[in-house]
């Protein structure tokens, strides 16, 4: 939580972080830090030395099993039955290795931690295999579930680099049978470069329900959408407000915080944190919840912000008791009394004590309320502060706010003013969903900003706003139902009548459409109604890519692996049912002949014409040794052979799901463990898939720049020799 230096990796099968390496030259000592937190007494009496000792220890490695829930169960089964059992009785240099343990507070044993370090990992072949498994799965998707419903509209205000955004997306897709949940996630970040990191992380989740936007969270635009034939303001059911913070709870992994920490960091961030939080609750629906979080232990960034927010709300907000949601999590309740200290070490207990010369540095909202009755009504003890020594974690702060009524500055004005017609003498926050940083509130929204764009094209903002944003993004162009692309595609794949054609889009106006993407109908609604007021970096999931060679077989578009789970519910042809052994063959051999498949799959394949296909594995409840979840892979049926179009990391992920290991020893040679892989095939499959990834990426980049991709793109490099 919080956004201070969070170098994390996102996974298809796992999310893991923190192996405790490096930084040995940095002395883990900061006297000002110790003095500050000793005085604040946020640590229970008698535990401060234990707290400091934990802060000096490396953060243990943690892993979170992610993705479609049925896939997550398969990964968990592999971890528990193979890797954890292999290391539980292992000794390295006379020291017994501690087996990974599940986090008691995380649902369904989908999160684990271990104290294994990089140094120990390198000393044992078994541990090295475990490490490679984690690294590989980190790069490769599987989904957990919490108290969450697929209909929720969610805003992640400060989202990059995207680990928590990924969890939100996973929750939307907890049910694999629902390709288009009604809810969506809008992930925002103020830093343009971090937005593209966020896109990279989100793309691994292959969701049509994610949109990445680039705005200052404290003035993120109010959005509109069509509902029941009229245009309404978009209010969110859930908001994650994980604000920029000083990050002193991350000292165990961000070691440089030890020498950089000072109280001035929190004093400088406090105002921004309040502005972001206020903007969040303005856009929260009545009855909705906003989580405010930081990776700081400092009450100036934590309870002080919550108290200021509650006071501004005049009863519209309430702190929720979230303890029952995570019954195994150890935490300290929020505090109700704290002091403010300058970087020079001067303490103030009340705003009245602050010298006038300090008023620009220290603000009244940094102090707890002085009215005992008002302070008691806030119930700040419902905030949750996680201390590192209680469960061997980092330090965090979390508060859950429930919106009970519209914000007071909204209630004071007539309903007809909510669409932006704010009187010139009104307060700058007189309109719910509008904030001072967004511009002059006395200027109403013009009608053209609220109309659906003609031809279903979401164009970039006009020139003045483009200059403000920094550079132009390619437009999102939605296809019409009578687009000439659809008839051959619909015939080739026998798409069902309910296939949502209007949800398909491209990123170019001119030339041949090389990639087709799909978004949910709710995100389409948001895009069409707000193209002039928001900067969209990316949205949708790729479902088809152009393959010129495919035209001779009746369809110029091949299936894209990242969109296969979104598209497959609508495909009624070109499906080849395969067995576990077929999966192994297709993912370990470069271009196997049809005869390499099992009899059933072979007979099906002979009846299929050449071109793009779906390779579908369905679980057999009687075979408990095989994966008990469905698997869909994109493939190509050639003249005499068949090939899987699966990126390298997903290839390894699915191989492990079916019991195949692909590892290399310290000399770079293959080390397959107990499962045999055909000679040379694993390397060939990995190399070809990696080349395909690079070629496809090159094609996308050239398309974004307005030039034609090189002819040697993904599909051509893999199928031309067999299809001509």
């Amino acid at each position: 939580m919080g956004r201070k230096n969070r170098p994390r990796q996102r996974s298809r099968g796992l999310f893991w972080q923190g192996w405790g390496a490096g930084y040995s030259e940095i002395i883990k000592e900061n006297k000002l830090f110790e003095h500050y937190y000793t005085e604040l007494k946020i640590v229970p009496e008698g535990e401060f030395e234990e707290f400091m000792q934990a802060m000096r220890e490396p953060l243990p490695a943690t892993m979170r099993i992610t993705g479609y829930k049925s896939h997550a169960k398969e990964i968990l089964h592999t971890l528990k039955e193979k890797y954890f059992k292999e290391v539980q009785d292992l000794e390295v240099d006379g020291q017994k290795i501690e087996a990974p343990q599940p986090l008691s507070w995380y649902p369904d044993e989908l999160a684990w931690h271990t104290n294994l370090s990089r140094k120990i990992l390198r000393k044992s072949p078994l541990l090295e295999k475990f490490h490679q498994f984690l690294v590989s799965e980190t790069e490769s998707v599987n989904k957990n579930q919490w108290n969450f419903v697929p209909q929720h509209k969610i805003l992640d205000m400060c989202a990059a680099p995207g680990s928590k955004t990924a969890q939100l997306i996973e929750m939307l897709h907890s049910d694999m049978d629902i390709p288009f949940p009604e809810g969506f996630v809008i992930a925002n970040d103020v830093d343009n470069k971090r937005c593209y990191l966020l896109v990279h992380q989100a793309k691994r989740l292959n969701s049509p329900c994610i949109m990445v936007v680039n705005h200052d969270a404290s003035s993120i635009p109010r959005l509109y959408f069509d509902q029941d034939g009229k245009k309404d303001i978009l209010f969110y059911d859930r908001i994650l407000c994980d604000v920029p913070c000083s990050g002193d709870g991350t000292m165990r992994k961000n070691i440089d915080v030890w020498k950089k920490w000072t109280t001035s960091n929190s004093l400088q961030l406090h105002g921004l944190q309040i502005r972001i939080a206020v903007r969040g609750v303005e856009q929260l629906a009545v009855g909705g919840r906003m989580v405010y979080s930081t990776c700081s232990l400092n009450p100036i960034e934590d309870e002080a912000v919550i108290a200021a927010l509650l006071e501004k709300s005049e009863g519209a907000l309430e702190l929720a008791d979230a303890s029952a949601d995570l019954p195994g999590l150890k935490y300290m309740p929020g505090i109700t009394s704290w002091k403010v200290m300058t970087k020079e070490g001067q303490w103030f207990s009340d705003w009245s004590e602050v010298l006038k010369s300090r008023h620009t540095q220290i603000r009244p909202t940094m102090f707890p309320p002085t009215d005992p009755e008002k302070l008691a009504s806030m119930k700040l003890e419902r905030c949750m502060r996680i201390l590192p020594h209680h469960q061997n974690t980092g330090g965090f702060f979390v508060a859950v706010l429930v919106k009970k009524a519209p914000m007071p500055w909204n209630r004071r004005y007539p309903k007809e003013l909510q669409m932006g017609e704010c009187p010139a003498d009104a307060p700058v926050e007189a309109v719910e969903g509008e904030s001072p940083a967004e511009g002059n509130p006395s200027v109403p929204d013009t009608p053209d900003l609220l109309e659906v764009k003609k031809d279903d094209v979401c164009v970039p903002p006009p020139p003045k706003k483009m200059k403000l944003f920094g550079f132009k993004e390619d437009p999102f162009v939605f296809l019409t139902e009578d687009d000439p692309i659809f008839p051959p595609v619909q015939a080739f794949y026998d798409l069902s009548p309910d296939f949502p054609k209007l949800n398909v889009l491209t990123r170019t106006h001119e030339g041949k459409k090389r990639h087709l993407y799909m978004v949910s109908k709710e995100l389409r609604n948001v895009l069409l109604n707000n193209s002039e007021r928001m900067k969209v970096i990316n949205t949708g999931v790729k479902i088809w890519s152009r393959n010129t060679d495919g035209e001779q077989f009746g369809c110029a578009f091949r299936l894209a692996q990242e969109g296969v789970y979104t598209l497959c519910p609508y495909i009624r042809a070109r499906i080849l049912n395969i067995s576990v052994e077929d999966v192994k063959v297709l993912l370990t051999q470069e271009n196997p002949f049809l005869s390499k498949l099992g009899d059933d799959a072979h007979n099906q394949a002979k009846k299929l014409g050449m071109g793009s296909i779906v390779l579908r594995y369905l679980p057999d409840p009687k075979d408990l040794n095989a994966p008990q979840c469905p698997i869909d892979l994109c493939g190509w049926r050639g003249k005499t052979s068949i090939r899987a179009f699966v990126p390298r990391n997903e290839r390894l992920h699915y191989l492990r799901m079916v019991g195949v290991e692909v590892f290399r020893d310290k000399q770079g040679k293959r080390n397959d463990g107990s499962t045999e892989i055909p000679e040379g095939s694993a390397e060939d499959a990995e190399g070809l898939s990696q080349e395909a990834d690079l070629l496809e990426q090159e094609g996308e980049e050239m398309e974004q720049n307005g030039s034609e991709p090189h002819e040697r793109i993904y599909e051509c490099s893999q199928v031309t020799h067999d299809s001509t």
Side-chain angles (χ1 to χ4, degrees):
M1 298 173 182
R3 301 186 60 231
K4 175 67 176 180
N5 299 330
R6 300 179 296 182
R8 303 179 181 178
Q9 298 184 39
R10 172 73 188 95
S11 69
R12 191 170 235 343
L14 290 169
F15 166 83
W16 71 287
Q17 62 179 30
W19 290 96
Y23 296 104
S24 58
E25 72 282 359
I26 295 180
I27 299 174
K28 299 177 182 179
E29 186 173 306
N30 188 309
K31 293 298 182 183
L32 184 64
F33 175 86
E34 293 186 44
H35 171 63
Y36 184 72
Y37 281 111
T38 300
E39 286 291 318
L40 287 182
K41 295 181 172 54
I42 66 166
V43 179
E45 188 175 353
E47 296 183 16
F48 195 80
E49 287 304 316
E50 187 183 357
F51 163 76
M52 289 303 302
Q53 181 60 34
M55 293 291 278
R56 294 186 178 100
E57 293 293 326
L59 191 68
T62 58
M63 63 195 85
R64 181 173 64 86
I65 304 168
T66 68
Y68 293 109
K69 192 167 186 185
S70 56
H71 286 197
K73 288 180 179 178
E74 293 297 326
I75 293 296
L76 177 60
H77 178 78
T78 301
L79 280 169
K80 293 172 69 174
E81 298 303 315
K82 180 172 178 56
Y83 296 104
F84 292 170
K85 283 186 176 180
E86 287 181 348
V87 303
Q88 65 183 1
D89 297 320
L90 191 65
E91 288 190 8
V92 177
D93 292 343
Q95 178 183 355
K96 187 173 181 180
I97 300 301
E98 179 184 340
Q101 299 295 320
L103 297 180
S104 60
W105 54 271
Y106 203 93
D108 302 326
E109 289 192 335
L110 291 175
W112 296 67
H113 69 93
T114 175
N115 287 324
L116 295 173
S117 67
R118 289 185 187 272
K119 185 177 180 181
I120 293 178
L121 285 168
R122 295 190 184 103
K123 290 188 175 183
S124 165
L126 284 176
L127 291 179
E128 178 66 19
K129 287 175 63 177
F130 178 43
H131 181 221
Q132 288 190 34
F133 173 84
L134 295 178
V135 171
S136 177
E137 285 297 317
T138 296
E139 291 302 322
S140 93
V141 109
N142 304 309
K143 304 190 189 274
N144 57 50
Q145 68 177 17
W146 276 359
N147 183 19
F148 202 79
V149 297
Q151 292 82 20
H152 281 158
K153 302 175 182 67
I154 308 155
L155 172 64
D156 189 348
M157 300 187 72
C158 308
S163 59
K164 285 180 282 298
T165 307
Q167 286 183 272
L168 294 172
I169 299 170
E170 290 163 14
M171 296 173 193
L172 282 180
H173 292 275
S174 58
D175 188 345
M176 288 183 68
D177 295 327
I178 304 176
F180 286 106
E182 292 183 18
F184 56 78
V185 176
I186 294 180
N188 173 73
D189 203 86
V190 66
D191 189 304
N192 186 266
K193 291 182 180 179
R194 286 168 64 89
C195 279
Y196 286 97
L197 173 61
L198 182 59
V199 170
H200 174 71
Q201 300 286 29
K203 281 184 69 175
R204 297 181 187 181
L205 291 156
N206 303 335
S207 171
C209 304
I210 171 70
M211 179 188 293
V212 176
V213 299
N214 180 202
H215 292 280
D216 178 351
S218 65
S219 57
I220 191 167
R222 176 187 57 205
L223 303 182
Y224 299 92
F225 70 116
D226 289 323
Q227 185 167 352
D228 300 327
K230 64 178 182 178
K231 200 172 300 296
D232 285 332
I233 296 175
L234 173 60
F235 290 108
Y236 299 93
D237 302 295
R238 298 289 185 269
I239 293 179
L240 175 58
C241 185
D242 189 42
V243 296
C245 67
S246 62
D248 57 22
T250 70
M251 283 179 164
R252 300 185 68 177
K253 63 174 181 177
N254 296 325
I255 314 299
D256 59 341
V257 177
W258 281 97
K259 60 181 181 180
K260 295 180 179 179
W261 188 90
T262 173
T263 55
S264 62
N265 296 338
S266 59
L267 299 180
Q268 292 167 3
L269 286 165
H270 173 81
L272 174 63
Q273 291 163 341
I274 289 181
R275 290 195 300 274
I276 293 175
V278 167
R279 190 59 177 157
V281 295
E282 284 177 344
Q283 303 217 23
L284 187 65
V286 173
R289 289 188 166 207
M290 185 177 87
V291 172
Y292 175 88
S293 62
T294 74
C295 51
S296 169
L297 302 173
N298 199 324
I300 308 302
E301 303 175 63
D302 299 339
E303 284 92 347
V305 174
I306 296 300
L309 202 58
L310 291 171
E311 188 161 9
K312 282 177 178 287
S313 78
E314 299 179 8
L317 297 176
E318 178 182 280
L319 263 175
D321 182 357
S323 58
D325 296 331
L326 299 167
L329 180 65
K330 295 179 182 178
Y331 66 92
M332 295 301 298
I335 60 177
T336 57
S337 176
W338 62 88
K339 299 181 290 184
V340 177
M341 188 179 80
T342 65
K343 65 178 180 180
E344 294 83 17
Q346 184 178 6
W347 288 95
F348 299 103
S349 299
D350 186 80
W351 168 248
S352 62
E353 301 174 1
V354 182
L355 299 175
K356 197 169 184 179
S357 60
R358 295 275 190 181
H359 282 189
T360 56
Q361 180 187 12
I362 300 175
R363 304 300 302 153
T365 51
M366 295 178 181
F367 296 90
T370 55
D371 183 341
E373 187 175 337
K374 180 184 293 185
L375 182 62
S377 68
M378 289 182 176
K379 300 179 181 177
L380 293 179
E381 65 277 3
R382 290 183 174 179
C383 298
M384 307 167 75
R385 180 176 278 103
I386 292 90
L387 299 178
H389 65 293
H390 284 166
Q391 281 185 307
N392 199 13
T393 64
F396 305 108
F397 176 86
V398 183
V400 181
L401 292 153
V402 178
K403 189 170 182 178
K404 311 295 286 187
M407 303 309 290
W409 47 90
N410 175 244
R411 295 197 300 266
R412 295 187 186 117
Y413 290 89
K415 186 175 182 180
E416 59 267 19
L417 298 184
Q418 292 185 22
M419 294 298 287
E421 298 175 0
C422 184
D425 59 346
V428 289
E429 290 175 343
V431 179
E432 179 130 40
E434 197 73 65
S435 73
E438 194 172 339
N440 184 352
S442 65
V443 179
D445 290 324
T446 54
D448 63 294
L449 297 186
L450 306 180
E451 294 178 356
V452 176
K453 303 308 294 179
K454 293 182 179 180
D455 301 323
D456 286 351
V457 175
C458 295
V459 298
K464 286 186 179 179
K465 287 191 177 180
M466 277 189 199
K467 187 175 181 181
L468 173 66
F469 287 151
F471 63 91
K472 176 183 176 182
E473 282 290 329
D474 288 333
F476 294 86
V477 184
F478 283 95
L479 274 60
T480 59
E481 287 190 303
D482 58 354
D483 192 291
I485 280 180
F486 283 126
V489 170
Q490 188 148 7
F492 190 73
Y493 295 102
D494 190 18
L495 298 179
S496 60
D498 60 340
F499 174 71
K501 296 178 182 178
L502 293 177
N503 294 9
V504 179
L505 60 86
T506 67
R507 295 298 302 271
T508 179
H509 279 293
E510 301 174 355
K512 289 185 176 180
K513 301 175 178 65
R514 291 204 168 268
H515 301 291
L516 301 181
Y517 304 85
M518 182 173 281
V519 296
S520 64
K521 66 177 182 179
E522 287 75 19
L523 275 187
R524 179 181 187 273
N525 190 338
V526 173
L527 272 168
L528 290 175
N529 284 286
N530 299 280
S531 62
E532 299 283 355
R533 58 178 52 248
M534 65 179 180
K535 181 180 177 184
V536 180
I537 300 297
N538 194 272
T539 191
V541 61
K542 187 195 300 180
I543 53 173
W544 281 299
S545 289
R546 182 175 291 276
N547 175 15
T548 305
D549 290 333
E551 292 182 2
Q552 61 184 300
F553 311 128
C555 182
F557 286 90
R558 67 162 179 84
L559 298 166
Q561 179 64 30
E562 64 188 71
V564 69
Y565 288 103
T566 297
L567 194 57
C568 272
Y570 304 102
I571 294 178
R572 301 183 296 185
R574 311 293 301 168
I575 298 173
L576 178 60
N577 293 305
I578 57 177
S579 66
V580 169
E581 294 305 314
D582 295 329
V583 173
K584 295 178 182 178
V585 169
L586 289 163
L587 295 181
T588 58
Q589 297 190 23
E590 176 186 348
N591 196 19
F593 288 109
L594 298 178
S595 58
K596 291 289 187 75
L597 300 176
D599 291 342
D600 186 33
H602 186 194
N603 290 331
Q604 294 177 62
K606 287 191 294 185
K607 299 175 183 178
L608 285 173
M610 296 171 63
S612 185
I613 58 174
V614 177
L615 301 164
R616 174 167 296 167
Y617 164 78
L618 296 175
D620 181 358
K622 298 178 182 178
D623 185 1
L624 298 181
N625 293 321
Q628 294 299 300
C629 64
I631 297 174
D632 284 338
L633 308 174
C634 290
W636 185 273
R637 164 54 159 107
K639 279 185 178 180
T640 59
S641 63
I642 201 160
R643 182 188 295 271
F645 275 154
V646 182
R648 176 174 59 92
N649 290 311
E650 289 192 50
R651 183 180 294 256
L652 300 180
H653 164 73
Y654 285 120
L655 279 172
R656 292 194 177 100
M657 284 182 64
V658 296
V660 176
E661 294 181 352
V662 182
F663 292 111
R664 295 181 180 276
D665 60 21
K666 294 180 182 178
Q667 286 74 41
K669 298 177 182 179
R670 193 175 75 243
N671 182 348
D672 297 336
S674 59
T675 306
E676 183 178 353
I677 301 177
E679 186 65 31
S681 58
E683 291 87 348
D684 291 340
E686 184 173 330
L688 281 167
S689 185
Q690 187 173 21
E691 178 190 24
D693 291 345
L694 292 173
L695 288 168
E696 186 163 19
Q697 181 180 357
E698 176 186 77
E700 288 181 344
E701 289 174 352
M702 294 183 73
E703 179 185 339
Q704 293 293 325
N705 293 329
S707 57
E708 285 292 315
H710 195 280
E711 284 299 321
R712 192 165 168 261
I713 58 174
Y714 189 2
E715 57 270 24
C716 294
S717 67
Q718 294 198 357
V719 304
T720 301
H721 73 281
D722 186 56
S723 61
T724 58

